[in-house]
Amino acid sequence: MTSEQTGLQADIRTILERIGYPDSPYLAEILNMVATPQELHWMALLPATATDLAQRAGIAAEQAQETLQDLFMRGLVLVKKEEDGPPVFDTPRGSGTFVDLLLFDQRYRALGERFYDLFSEFFNKEEVYMERSPEHLPLRVVPVEERIGDAREVLPFERVTGILTGARRIAVEHCPCRQRERNCDHPTEVCLSFDAVADYTVARGIGREITVAEAQVLLKDCEERGLVHQVDNTDQPTVLCNCCSCCCAFLVAINRYGQEHVIATSRYRAEIDQEACIQCGVCFERCPFHAIEETDDGGYLVTAKCFGCGLCASACPTEAIAMHLVAPEDHIPHKDPTILQS
């Protein structure tokens, strides 16, 4: 092995250690597909300002600035803008950020199916088995708004309408999971981002700005398709995903691999009025969490698997299913969202 090859392997391992999978052959191949050896070396020298990178890499400051901006536009680095001092660039930390920043970008389609196959292999063979803390779940289910009862008990950040109208800016992007797994024909342009994250996706050209009305139409279509609304698990959501159980990294981890501590439930649970139930089976077929079981007498029962998405209730022809509040307000963490800056 030449010194150049040894150096390249060291640079790739440095980047992958930050992502959390230093020995992943799939991510290593992806990095080799999306960046040159020289670019990977510069990425390994981060975090740094443009001036820092110029000094470490022995290149001109102007070249360092142009390189970092190009890597930013390709989703390979992020930038943190400091109040006092120049911007600091760094490679993505954590696999979720790395995966999303590349799969959101439709320009990588030119790399062909192998690019997406590698992400699928990484997820199904490595990422799905990651350890998760039940105290720090990344996403939370948001129920179908029209089926959650008395609006006075609904918090603004668990209502789709409240999230949309409270946003300064809304953008829509292509779902990373559905592009990676390709297991259904649901539309891919269904991931919403808000405010600073929307600013980032629009700046990179991987998202397009839409209005509140356009977002409402999109979400209604997703509900009719049986897709689950999920937001980042905070009282300040920055993203709203519309997830299918066959492609979503989180729902697949639950349903296919039996993983626990994957996402947080909503504050609501479904309950079936047995007298009003006509035993049509719509709820049984529609539940993305397999939380509805058929009883011996042909009826249906909601189990502890319920995540409170409300898709069963929204499709019930006799409105025999109601969503009941079962968790206090502190079920939803109060924290500052992660900010991606352009």
Side-chain angles (χ1 to χ4, degrees):
M1 184 179 294
T2 66
S3 59
E4 289 80 6
Q5 292 172 324
T6 300
L8 176 59
Q9 287 190 349
D11 290 335
I12 289 175
R13 185 175 180 84
T14 295
I15 297 168
L16 293 184
E17 284 176 347
R18 299 168 185 170
I19 295 172
Y21 292 85
D23 300 311
S24 172
Y26 313 109
L27 295 186
E29 186 173 343
I30 289 169
L31 285 175
N32 276 308
M33 293 178 74
V34 300
T36 67
Q38 184 66 81
E39 290 171 333
L40 292 170
H41 178 61
W42 289 334
M43 289 166 60
L45 295 176
L46 304 178
T49 65
T51 300
D52 293 335
L53 178 61
Q55 293 174 345
R56 295 172 189 174
I59 58 177
E62 182 178 348
Q63 182 183 5
Q65 181 62 49
E66 291 176 353
T67 296
L68 290 169
Q69 183 61 30
D70 179 56
L71 292 172
F72 169 81
M73 292 299 294
R74 289 154 55 192
L76 296 172
V77 303
L78 293 171
V79 57
K80 182 178 181 182
K81 294 182 177 178
E82 305 286 357
E83 290 186 8
D84 299 317
V88 176
F89 295 84
D90 197 5
T91 51
R93 305 284 172 154
S95 60
T97 301
F98 175 77
V99 170
D100 286 354
L101 294 189
L102 293 188
L103 288 182
F104 275 143
D105 197 328
Q106 299 304 288
R107 289 165 291 200
Y108 285 119
R109 285 181 176 271
L111 296 177
E113 291 296 301
R114 179 61 179 167
F115 177 72
Y116 297 97
D117 290 342
L118 285 167
F119 274 115
S120 182
E121 290 185 80
F122 164 66
F123 167 69
N124 287 283
K125 295 179 180 179
E126 295 181 343
E127 188 180 35
V128 73
Y129 300 109
M130 69 182 294
E131 293 292 329
R132 297 179 176 88
S133 167
E135 289 79 29
H136 300 94
L137 300 177
L139 294 182
R140 182 183 78 255
V141 170
V142 177
V144 176
E145 185 170 341
E146 64 185 25
R147 302 303 301 164
I148 52 177
D150 190 344
R152 291 173 297 182
E153 64 186 17
V154 186
L155 300 173
F157 39 83
E158 62 185 346
R159 292 175 56 243
V160 167
T161 300
I163 295 171
L164 296 181
T165 57
R168 167 180 55 80
R169 191 180 201 182
I170 305 173
V172 60
E173 302 84 35
H174 288 269
C175 171
C177 297
R178 207 161 292 139
Q179 293 182 99
R180 181 197 68 231
E181 294 302 303
R182 295 153 287 169
N183 285 329
C184 65
D185 58 2
H186 290 303
T188 60
E189 196 182 30
V190 295
C191 288
L192 299 181
S193 59
F194 310 111
D195 300 337
V197 179
D199 292 340
Y200 169 80
T201 64
V202 172
R204 265 192 64 199
I206 59 176
R208 62 181 180 89
E209 186 170 3
I210 61 174
T211 65
V212 171
E214 289 173 320
Q216 289 174 322
V217 171
L218 182 151
L219 292 175
K220 183 64 175 178
D221 178 67
C222 289
E223 291 172 2
E224 292 174 353
R225 291 174 177 274
L227 303 181
V228 181
H229 301 324
Q230 296 190 79
V231 299
D232 34 343
N233 191 22
T234 168
D235 59 356
Q236 301 176 59
T238 60
V239 297
L240 195 163
C241 303
N242 294 285
C243 306
C244 58
S245 58
C246 60
C247 296
C248 170
F250 300 97
L251 300 190
V252 167
I254 294 169
N255 291 327
R256 184 187 304 168
Y257 294 102
Q259 296 292 303
E260 298 181 351
H261 313 311
V262 178
I263 56 173
T265 66
S266 76
R267 295 201 301 138
Y268 295 82
R269 295 293 182 278
E271 184 175 309
I272 300 175
D273 181 345
Q274 300 299 332
E275 293 185 1
C277 176
I278 59 173
Q279 301 179 356
C280 65
V282 170
C283 60
F284 178 79
E285 296 294 333
R286 191 169 167 85
C287 179
F289 298 97
H290 308 297
I292 297 179
E293 295 182 354
E294 191 170 7
T295 62
D296 293 337
D297 60 1
Y300 296 93
L301 180 69
V302 179
T303 71
K305 295 180 181 180
C306 177
F307 274 72
C309 68
L311 290 171
C312 58
S314 67
C316 180
T318 62
E319 298 187 0
I321 305 178
M323 304 301 296
H324 293 283
L325 184 66
V326 296
E329 292 187 10
D330 62 8
H331 174 76
I332 300 175
H334 174 72
K335 60 183 178 180
D336 292 330
T338 298
I339 301 297
L340 298 178
Q341 299 191 38
S342 60

